[in-house]
Every structure is written in C-alpha cells, then in structure tokens.
Amino acid sequence: WNTLANGTGTPFNDEEEVINLAKSGSITLYAQWTVNNYIVNFDPNSEDALGYMPSQSFSYTESKSLTLNTFEREGYTFLGWNTNPSATTATYRDGYTVSKLVAEQDGSITLYAVWKANTYVVKYNGNTASGTMGNQTFTYDEEQTLAANGFRKTGYTFVGWNTQADGNGTKYDVTKPVKNLATTGSITLYAMWEVNTYTVVFNANTGSGTMDNQKFTYNVEQTLTTNSFEKEG
C-alpha cells in the first residue's frame, strides 16, 4: 500500500501492523501493483524433431513476438504452435505477437510445435521401354504400394524399380508397400529390366538323328548349332 497513487508517498507492506496513520478523519491507501512475469517454453512435439529453443520471458502486459522456430523435422512442415500437443492446427503462427498468455506470478506455459506431413510425387520412367505411367502422390510417413508397371519392353521382363537408371541406386519391390522415398518435391523411379532367354529346338523334319536344344539371350547374336541330322538322298 501507499499513501499516494503513484507510489511516491509512505509505503506499507501487506498486513503490516500500523498506528497513527491519521490524526482524525480518514486516510486512503492506494494498492501498488507489480506486473507478473511468466515463461514460454517451446516443445518440438516429436521425438524425431531436431534442434533446441530456449525459453522466452514475458511480462503480463507486454506484447512481444514469439521466438522464430528453429526446430526441424524431416518430411514435415512447421505450421505454428498450440498449447495442445495433439492439435493439428496452429493457434500461434511462427513469430506471432502474443500477450497475456499467463496471469500468475512466475508462471509458465508450454507451446507445442504443430507439424504437417509433406506430400511428394513419384514419377515413373520406362528406362528405354515403351508406354506411359502417371505420377503418384505420397504422404510422408505413410505406407503405400507403388503403382503397377505399365511399361513394356520387347524381349525383357520387368523386375522392379530403382532410383537410378543404371540400377545402382535404391531398389524397390513392386509387391511391398513403401514410404518416405522423398521428404518433399518429387522422385523418379526407373523401370528395371531383365533380358529374356529362350530355347531353340531343332526338328529333323523327316530326317534322322538328334540335336540338343540351344539357349539364346534376347538381343544377343549367336551362331546356330551345326546341323547333325541326316536324311538319305
């Protein structure tokens, strides 16, 4: 308390024992106030998020911008902050100006990062084959089966997809669900082809004798086995 509203008079503590405040009549004591301070804590809200953000101090009547987010999470975009860790929408955008988040003296509040999984596009390349295939959209951290192959290559069998045309990248089996092929943007998968083999069977066509079958590889030149059949006359 104070005998003057601006606090420049005689001060008294709360519940202080006093005497002779006035000789007669009355005296008015004015309440004196100190603005409360509080702390804003920042939580990345994910075990796989990286980075550190120190707490930020506020006074109750102060309007101030929240510290810009420095957390990072692979495959996700930061949307803002929410007081609920399960929220999917942000109450406070990055760097949002706030005030009066906590009224209690020396209180605190925790703001949880809100993340949205990125989407990315898988593009399919026939890798010297004919045909076309549309792009396929994926969401980060969600499993999905790759599209069925729509390319064709004469004399070759499709055996899967690879991130490199020469097959030296990451391989993907068409029968197994995949996820997290990219964190954002797009990725191109190249069709992998295995050359076919075939068998040439020799028929004497009314002649006599035998000849073994001969194995060939498609697109590879090879000399036919010398004839060993015979036919009189």
Side-chain angles (χ1 to χ4, degrees):
W1 304 97
N2 200 288
T3 54
L4 294 176
N6 64 5
T8 61
T10 303
F12 298 99
N13 295 325
D14 195 20
E15 297 183 331
E16 180 180 342
E17 292 185 2
V18 296
I19 189 173
N20 300 341
L21 295 185
K23 295 179 179 179
S24 63
S26 67
I27 184 173
T28 299
L29 297 183
Y30 296 89
Q32 301 299 298
W33 301 97
T34 299
V35 64
N36 289 345
N37 295 316
Y38 63 92
I39 298 295
V40 174
N41 300 310
F42 299 97
D43 192 305
N45 201 19
S46 175
E47 292 182 355
D48 57 4
L50 302 176
Y52 167 76
M53 289 185 66
S55 300
Q56 187 178 9
S57 298
F58 282 77
S59 64
Y60 182 72
T61 57
E62 177 183 29
S63 293
K64 189 163 65 173
S65 297
L66 292 169
T67 304
L68 290 175
N69 172 55
T70 59
F71 294 124
E72 295 181 353
R73 188 180 179 192
E74 188 174 61
Y76 287 79
T77 297
F78 175 75
L79 298 182
W81 306 99
N82 200 300
T83 55
N84 181 359
S86 301
T88 57
T89 58
T91 303
Y92 308 109
R93 299 186 303 274
D94 198 17
Y96 195 72
T97 300
V98 298
S99 66
K100 301 180 180 179
L101 296 183
V102 180
E104 292 77 17
Q105 173 72 15
D106 297 325
S108 66
I109 185 173
T110 298
L111 298 183
Y112 298 90
V114 180
W115 303 97
K116 181 181 180 181
N118 295 339
T119 59
Y120 59 93
V121 172
V122 173
K123 300 178 179 180
Y124 296 97
N125 186 303
N127 200 15
T128 72
S130 60
T132 59
M133 287 183 65
N135 298 336
Q136 188 178 6
T137 300
F138 281 70
T139 299
Y140 196 81
D141 263 348
E142 292 184 9
E143 282 193 333
Q144 190 172 331
T145 302
L146 292 169
N149 172 49
F151 298 114
R152 295 292 179 268
K153 187 174 182 180
T154 301
Y156 291 78
T157 298
F158 174 76
V159 293
W161 303 100
N162 199 290
T163 54
Q164 293 185 20
D166 60 6
N168 290 325
T170 304
K171 299 177 182 178
Y172 293 103
D173 189 332
V174 294
T175 63
K176 296 179 181 179
V178 297
K179 68 176 182 177
N180 301 352
L181 277 65
T183 57
T184 188
S186 65
I187 184 173
T188 299
L189 296 184
Y190 297 88
M192 293 289 103
W193 302 98
E194 185 177 87
V195 63
N196 294 340
T197 60
Y198 59 93
T199 300
V200 173
V201 178
F202 299 97
N203 188 301
N205 196 19
T206 72
S208 62
T210 59
M211 283 184 67
D212 292 335
N213 298 336
Q214 188 178 5
K215 294 286 187 180
F216 279 74
T217 299
Y218 189 80
N219 252 356
V220 177
E221 283 190 334
Q222 188 173 329
T223 303
L224 288 169
T225 304
T226 302
N227 172 53
S228 61
F229 294 127
E230 295 181 351
K231 187 174 181 181
E232 188 175 3

